[in-house]
Amino acid sequence: MTGEMLDYLIIGAGPAGLQLAALLERDGRRDYLVLESADAPGAFFARFPRHRQLISINKPHTGSDDPELNLRLDWNSLLVDDPTLRFTRYTERYFPDADVMLRYLADFAAATGIRVRYRSRVVRVARTGNGSGGGDVSGGDGFEVTDAAGTTHRARRVVVATGVSRPYVAPIPGIELAERYDEMPVDPRDFLDQRVLVIGKGNSAFETADNLMETTTLVHVAGPSSVRMAWRTHYVGHLRAVNNNFLDTYQLKSANAILDGHVRGIERDGDGYRVTFSFSRANEVTKELRYDRVLACTGFRFDPSIFAEGCRPALVINDRFPAQTPAFESVNVPGLFFAGTLTQERDFKKSTNGFIHGFRYAVRALHRILERRYHDNPWPAEKLDATAESAADAIIERVNRSSGLWQQFGVLADVLTVAGSDARYHEEVPVDYFGQVGLATADHPVEHAFVVTLEYGPDHDQVDPFDMSVSRIAQDTAGQAHDAAYLHPVVRHHRGGRVVAVHHLAENLENQWNKPEVHRAPLVAFLDRCLTTTVG
């Protein structure tokens, strides 16, 4: 056992673990350690995606020299002041190869000087003391984390940044006969002249189907839910256009097909497999279909096996993710926090916590939450004049530049708080965290709070953006801004613990919400009313 009691023990040196460690290192916090099972950071990207092309956007040429604005089109960089540590310097490929990510993460870890111990696979996490105290070790409360070599590390708090490392196995009789995405061969000629069933309708399934189109007799992609296109839902985990070539081969009658319904069972049938399938859109017709190969591309889940009894986090969403508070803390294990793709439990299939371009901001928010709770450091804030004009200028400047609000739409917010003549502007606060904890301090008892987000309209995923027969709100139409389906700024006035007024800024094709009469003047009028009206 090591004698040192750490403030933070981070499990996993993927992008989230590196991001949090870099923030701790930057701020001079030395009582932390990252444990990583592999011999280099980002081990997930050494195997995944299986066909090696990332679907995270990389755009070095933006026409802007504003590093904050450029992060809107850079989905791979971690947050650091050093401009040489931007992923866009590593390749010009719009959809980069995963090997580039491995090189980038290794350089990031080396350049930031983070404290990471490689080849240290964690095998057990247990509580010490009586398991109470909100994660503070007063009275002997904390964690013991043991690695495969038998070394036990002690920490006041543990942050799990391991990602979803275990394949999600669908509850289908005979599913063990299928080849899993993490194990299947990726050489298309290994499937020459074969009939192949791919179970799943996410990007891994269509990435696989696309890879096999040239060599197989046919490919069927099957699952119980409809195919959802990311360009319509704005959730980047839904099917991306870069992986949807297969749809053409189905709708243009080129042998392949998408099957909507349930796989009821998989059985061996000579050299192949007999699959019982119940079609959802054909009055539940059930048929037996024969294939040479069955591939399971059904996603991943969190692996809770390292946690001892009394320290095991509660799970949700088909036991795929740990349940978390708005502070990214386990709902049942105080002091156990999560970072990275695991935090998509907070915005599942709605925003971007499951992806680097989203969770890099969530990790920064987690860092600020930890600083506030355990080190008495308030949320960083800029002081403003408590006038509608000053507030409007600050809001407009941020919504036109912020990458955090842009990427974490509806999840992160800038919060302007007002107490008398004292106004403070806080950046990138998780909306739910503000609702639960607030931002008041002893010297700043908040009277008004303005929560600023970028959001799509409430039914945006029901609108086909390419259907010209569907009318939409014209851009720069201030009076109809509240009906906009596309991304636009929303300002909510909180007072007395509730929302008392809402203002929408008119949408704009180029996402420039700065026109004096269209955007600024209505916002100033709204803020002025809120600040001068007495709420009864």
Side-chain angles (χ1 to χ4, degrees):
M1 178 182 293
T2 61
E4 181 183 13
M5 171 64 78
L6 299 165
D7 267 350
Y8 303 103
L9 193 291
I10 302 168
I11 304 176
L18 297 182
Q19 179 69 82
L20 180 57
L23 292 168
L24 292 169
E25 189 71 27
R26 180 202 67 185
D27 288 355
R29 302 241 172 253
R30 299 295 185 262
D31 290 340
Y32 79 90
L33 180 66
V34 183
L35 296 182
E36 167 57 44
S37 62
D39 57 4
F44 177 88
F45 295 99
R47 294 192 65 197
F48 303 107
R50 295 299 312 282
H51 303 94
R52 307 312 290 149
Q53 180 177 258
L54 300 176
I55 57 174
S56 47
I57 289 172
N58 175 65
K59 189 169 175 57
H61 306 291
T62 66
S64 171
D65 59 2
D66 183 343
E68 175 68 17
L69 194 63
N70 286 340
L71 282 170
R72 292 183 173 187
L73 300 176
D74 172 1
W75 289 14
N76 301 286
S77 291
L78 298 181
L79 303 176
V80 66
D81 292 335
D82 185 350
T84 67
L85 291 178
R86 288 294 168 91
F87 186 92
T88 49
R89 291 176 175 259
Y90 283 69
T91 178
E92 292 191 338
R93 290 278 303 276
Y94 196 74
F95 295 114
D97 189 278
D99 289 340
V100 181
M101 177 60 76
L102 287 170
R103 183 160 56 93
Y104 169 74
L105 295 176
D107 289 351
F108 184 93
T112 54
I114 64 171
R115 298 161 185 260
V116 57
R117 186 168 298 174
Y118 297 108
R119 294 179 291 278
S120 297
R121 181 171 60 88
V122 172
V123 296
R124 188 172 188 269
V125 178
R127 292 304 296 260
T128 61
N130 58 20
S132 61
D136 192 341
V137 297
S138 56
D141 189 15
F143 295 88
E144 291 184 349
V145 178
T146 305
D147 64 25
T151 302
T152 297
H153 307 266
R154 298 189 302 140
R156 295 176 176 86
R157 296 141 212 129
V158 168
V159 182
V160 181
T162 56
V164 281
S165 56
R166 175 186 291 183
Y168 173 71
V169 180
I172 298 171
I175 190 65
E176 68 278 0
L177 299 174
E179 299 170 72
R180 294 192 330 223
Y181 175 75
D182 61 320
E183 299 174 336
M184 67 186 188
V186 295
D187 183 353
R189 296 197 66 78
D190 196 73
F191 297 83
L192 192 64
D193 293 324
Q194 293 182 346
R195 296 167 58 92
V196 178
L197 173 67
V198 179
I199 301 174
K201 285 185 177 176
N203 281 292
S204 62
F206 280 94
E207 161 204 325
T208 300
D210 189 64
N211 183 57
L212 298 179
M213 288 192 299
E214 294 180 353
T215 58
T216 52
T217 300
L218 64 79
V219 178
H220 289 169
V221 175
S225 58
S226 300
V227 174
R228 306 201 70 191
M229 305 300 298
W231 51 257
R232 179 165 181 161
T233 66
H234 305 113
Y235 172 64
V236 299
H238 285 147
L239 181 58
R240 302 286 298 285
V242 67
N243 284 328
N244 74 9
N245 288 335
F246 183 85
L247 300 183
D248 269 6
T249 70
Y250 172 38
Q251 288 299 311
L252 299 180
K253 305 179 293 299
S254 300
N256 301 321
I258 294 175
L259 309 183
D260 298 321
H262 294 81
V263 177
R264 298 300 184 188
I266 305 170
E267 300 177 77
R268 286 204 175 274
D269 183 18
D271 293 335
Y273 301 92
R274 184 170 64 253
V275 176
T276 302
F277 193 83
S278 175
F279 289 86
S280 296
R281 296 200 294 174
N283 297 321
E284 294 296 335
V285 169
T286 299
K287 296 186 67 175
E288 290 189 347
L289 306 171
R290 192 185 184 284
Y291 299 97
D292 298 298
R293 307 280 282 275
V294 179
L295 308 179
C297 302
T298 50
F300 295 87
R301 56 169 294 185
F302 171 60
D303 183 0
S305 62
I306 63 173
F307 294 94
E309 289 298 324
C311 187
R312 184 162 296 175
L315 303 179
V316 291
I317 311 176
N318 294 326
D319 288 344
R320 293 179 64 184
F321 299 96
Q324 297 158 56
T325 72
F328 309 109
E329 186 176 20
S330 169
V331 298
N332 66 308
V333 184
L336 178 63
F337 294 86
F338 302 94
T341 192
L342 291 173
T343 60
Q344 67 184 282
E345 184 271 334
R346 295 295 313 160
D347 63 341
F348 189 60
K349 295 190 176 181
K350 293 179 181 178
S351 194
T352 58
N353 265 326
F355 313 91
I356 293 175
H357 68 289
F359 68 60
R360 62 191 179 193
Y361 304 99
V363 173
R364 184 157 66 185
L366 170 61
H367 174 249
R368 290 168 175 168
I369 290 168
L370 297 174
E371 285 288 316
R372 189 180 185 207
R373 183 190 294 189
Y374 299 114
H375 307 289
D376 295 325
N377 289 321
W379 202 278
E382 178 184 355
K383 290 194 174 185
L384 305 175
D385 293 334
T387 64
E389 290 79 6
S390 178
D393 288 342
I395 291 170
I396 287 175
E397 194 276 334
R398 277 286 294 168
V399 297
N400 281 284
R401 289 188 65 238
S402 169
S403 61
L405 301 188
W406 175 273
Q407 303 290 20
Q408 285 269 39
F409 53 89
V411 172
L412 287 186
D414 283 0
V415 181
L416 171 65
T417 56
V418 180
S421 61
D422 181 11
R424 302 181 184 183
Y425 198 97
H426 312 75
E427 297 180 2
E428 296 175 12
V429 182
V431 172
D432 290 344
Y433 174 81
F434 171 75
Q436 183 181 82
V437 180
L439 291 171
T441 59
D443 66 337
H444 187 70
V446 175
E447 300 169 14
H448 302 269
F450 297 93
V451 177
V452 182
T453 55
L454 292 179
E455 299 179 23
Y456 293 93
D459 297 317
H460 65 93
D461 58 346
Q462 304 302 312
V463 178
D464 184 346
F466 303 117
D467 186 352
M468 293 182 63
S469 68
V470 177
S471 62
R472 59 178 295 175
I473 302 302
Q475 68 166 334
D476 298 334
T477 306
Q480 295 178 287
H482 58 282
D483 288 327
Y486 187 61
L487 194 72
H488 63 282
V490 182
V491 182
R492 292 178 172 85
H493 178 209
H494 290 242
R495 193 168 188 188
R498 61 189 180 93
V499 177
V500 296
V502 181
H503 178 74
H504 294 251
L505 277 70
E507 69 174 67
N508 178 269
L509 177 64
E510 297 180 284
N511 307 303
Q512 295 179 0
W513 303 285
N514 54 10
K515 294 186 176 180
E517 298 305 317
V518 173
H519 300 112
R520 187 179 185 278
L523 178 58
V524 169
F526 169 77
L527 294 170
D528 187 62
R529 287 194 303 272
C530 293
L531 291 170
T532 58
T533 300
T534 301
V535 177

